[in-house]
Amino acid sequence: MDIQEILSFSFIFPLAAGIIFGFLVLYMFREDVQKDNYLVCVSGYMNIRSSRMKPLLFSDFDNIPNAANLVEKYSFDSDPSIRVKIVDVIDAHFDKIPNAGEIIKRLSYDQNQYVKYSVADVIDRHFDKIPNAGEIIKTFSYFPKDVKSAVAKVIKNHFDKIPDAGRITGELSHSSDIDVKLQCAKILKKHFNKIPDAGKIFADLYKYGETDENMNLLSIEILRDHFNKIPKAPEIFVNILGTVMTTSTSGDDEIIFQDVIRIFSKHFYEIPDAEELLEIFMTIVNKKEYLKELCKQQYFKNFFVNIPNGMEILKKNRII
């Protein structure tokens, strides 16, 4: 082998080795990028690291290498929309992520309201698996309305495990947002007797903004059970009664009717202009055949017997 051949061989070998090494580096980089591209998005977003749709961390969790590690990695991402998506992934695969509870606890300190809202939802569904979940919820009640609504749901479902749950409910009741108010009403319906100021909190719900059909339905049920514990209960009842039967759906009519008649029967003399209001109410009832049939049952007649001129009102409306 002459000098020329030796030089040619010595040049080709490192070149080939360099090419092979380059391919290995590119392959490893491609694998790393592909892992990043698994991140995911919920709600139909395209993959956040690629313009092409990739396997989703949310829906294809079990088939992604090191999926749990990717979740932790991207929980630190600077983009809040990615952190929100990571919270959704944790919610869907909580038991498959060893440190899921700790990640949620850390993200609970996130200052982005959408991250906090998602975290509150996860706490609601996985409360007992998250360290200090009750203490976390205590810090959430001061954030914007979407977070307040989620917090109220958690309180309703885990009231006994959250310190100062009654106080937090009172603070949330001052919100002007109807969904927050609705969630507070649900808390009161389920835990009224555990909250020292429950009657006042209920009354406060009517100081801020309008109510809606669902709120009225809940309020009638709460008044039925706790009328004498609520400040200005007669006035609240009159205000609700003005719209409750004209805005309710047929599915709720029967429930509302029963509760209204019970309130009239037990608290007739406490309600301003009770006889006139009852007559108006029964005029509306008279237009609904299935409610007229209820009035004819002895069980409901007994309520009318306890109401002054109750039977006369039924006769006047040709119900009996």
Side-chain angles (χ1 to χ4, degrees):
M1 183 179 294
D2 58 24
I3 297 297
Q4 188 69 30
E5 290 175 333
I6 292 172
L7 291 174
S8 298
F9 181 78
S10 63
F11 174 76
I12 292 172
F13 180 77
L15 177 64
I19 291 173
I20 293 171
F21 179 76
F23 274 115
L24 286 173
V25 170
L26 288 173
Y27 178 79
M28 292 172 66
F29 176 76
R30 177 174 176 273
E31 286 295 301
D32 187 59
V33 170
Q34 282 184 329
K35 285 181 182 179
D36 281 1
N37 281 341
Y38 280 122
L39 190 68
V40 178
C41 273
V42 189
S43 305
Y45 287 107
M46 294 296 287
N47 190 288
I48 62 173
R49 304 298 189 202
S50 172
S51 61
R52 295 179 296 135
M53 183 66 83
K54 296 286 185 180
L56 300 181
L57 186 56
F58 181 80
S59 60
D60 204 26
F61 188 93
D62 294 331
N63 297 320
I64 297 173
N66 300 316
N69 291 338
L70 287 174
V71 167
E72 181 164 18
K73 173 182 176 180
Y74 284 106
S75 69
F76 290 97
D77 200 283
S78 60
D79 186 343
S81 66
I82 294 175
R83 299 197 299 275
V84 168
K85 295 160 194 171
I86 285 299
V87 174
D88 290 335
V89 173
I90 292 173
D91 189 20
H93 304 282
F94 197 98
D95 294 330
K96 300 173 186 176
I97 302 169
N99 57 340
E102 290 296 336
I103 296 174
I104 290 300
K105 181 181 177 181
R106 171 166 50 78
L107 288 174
S108 72
Y109 297 103
D110 200 297
Q111 295 303 301
N112 183 275
Q113 65 169 314
Y114 301 107
V115 176
K116 280 190 172 293
Y117 178 86
S118 297
V119 166
D121 269 352
V122 175
I123 291 175
D124 188 21
R125 285 187 277 273
H126 305 279
F127 193 94
D128 294 327
K129 302 174 185 177
I130 298 170
N132 299 319
E135 292 292 338
I136 292 172
I137 290 301
K138 277 181 64 176
T139 69
F140 272 36
S141 58
Y142 302 101
F143 284 82
K145 65 180 182 181
D146 289 340
V147 179
K148 291 179 186 290
S149 178
V151 166
K153 291 178 185 177
V154 180
I155 292 173
K156 175 178 71 71
N157 294 330
H158 306 279
F159 189 93
D160 296 328
K161 301 175 183 178
I162 299 172
D164 298 325
R167 177 187 58 78
I168 298 171
T169 302
E171 292 172 357
L172 292 172
S173 71
H174 296 142
S175 173
S176 60
D177 182 74
I178 186 59
D179 191 56
V180 178
K181 293 167 67 176
L182 182 62
Q183 297 305 325
C184 286
K186 290 179 179 179
I187 294 172
L188 291 173
K189 180 184 174 184
K190 188 172 182 180
H191 304 285
F192 194 98
N193 291 325
K194 300 175 185 176
I195 303 173
D197 296 324
K200 183 179 181 300
I201 292 172
F202 179 82
D204 284 345
L205 290 175
Y206 289 88
K207 293 181 181 178
Y208 306 91
E210 296 297 324
T211 59
D212 71 353
E213 175 189 326
N214 292 324
M215 184 71 177
N216 287 333
L217 177 60
L218 278 168
S219 299
I220 288 291
E221 292 181 287
I222 294 169
L223 284 166
R224 175 199 66 198
D225 296 331
H226 308 285
F227 196 92
N228 291 328
K229 301 174 186 176
I230 297 170
K232 298 184 178 180
E235 290 86 345
I236 294 173
F237 175 68
V238 170
N239 289 338
I240 296 173
L241 193 62
T243 58
V244 73
M245 287 304 292
T246 56
T247 60
S248 63
T249 61
S250 59
D252 295 329
D253 273 355
E254 187 173 333
I255 297 171
I256 292 172
F257 165 75
Q258 294 184 42
D259 290 341
V260 167
I261 293 304
R262 289 186 184 193
I263 291 171
F264 270 118
S265 178
K266 293 181 180 179
H267 307 284
F268 187 86
Y269 292 105
E270 302 166 57
I271 301 169
D273 303 315
E275 187 169 347
E276 180 182 349
L277 285 172
L278 180 58
E279 287 206 34
I280 295 171
F281 176 73
M282 292 308 300
T283 300
I284 297 171
V285 169
N286 194 28
K287 297 176 182 178
K288 303 183 179 185
E289 288 297 326
Y290 57 95
L291 293 182
K292 287 175 64 176
E293 289 303 313
L294 280 178
C295 293
K296 295 176 183 178
Q297 296 178 19
Q298 188 60 46
Y299 177 75
F300 289 101
K301 286 182 183 178
N302 291 337
F303 286 116
F304 283 94
V305 168
N306 294 328
I307 297 173
N309 299 320
M311 299 306 290
E312 286 74 9
I313 291 172
L314 289 179
K315 291 176 182 177
K316 183 177 179 179
N317 284 279
R318 299 179 180 179
I319 293 175
I320 59 172

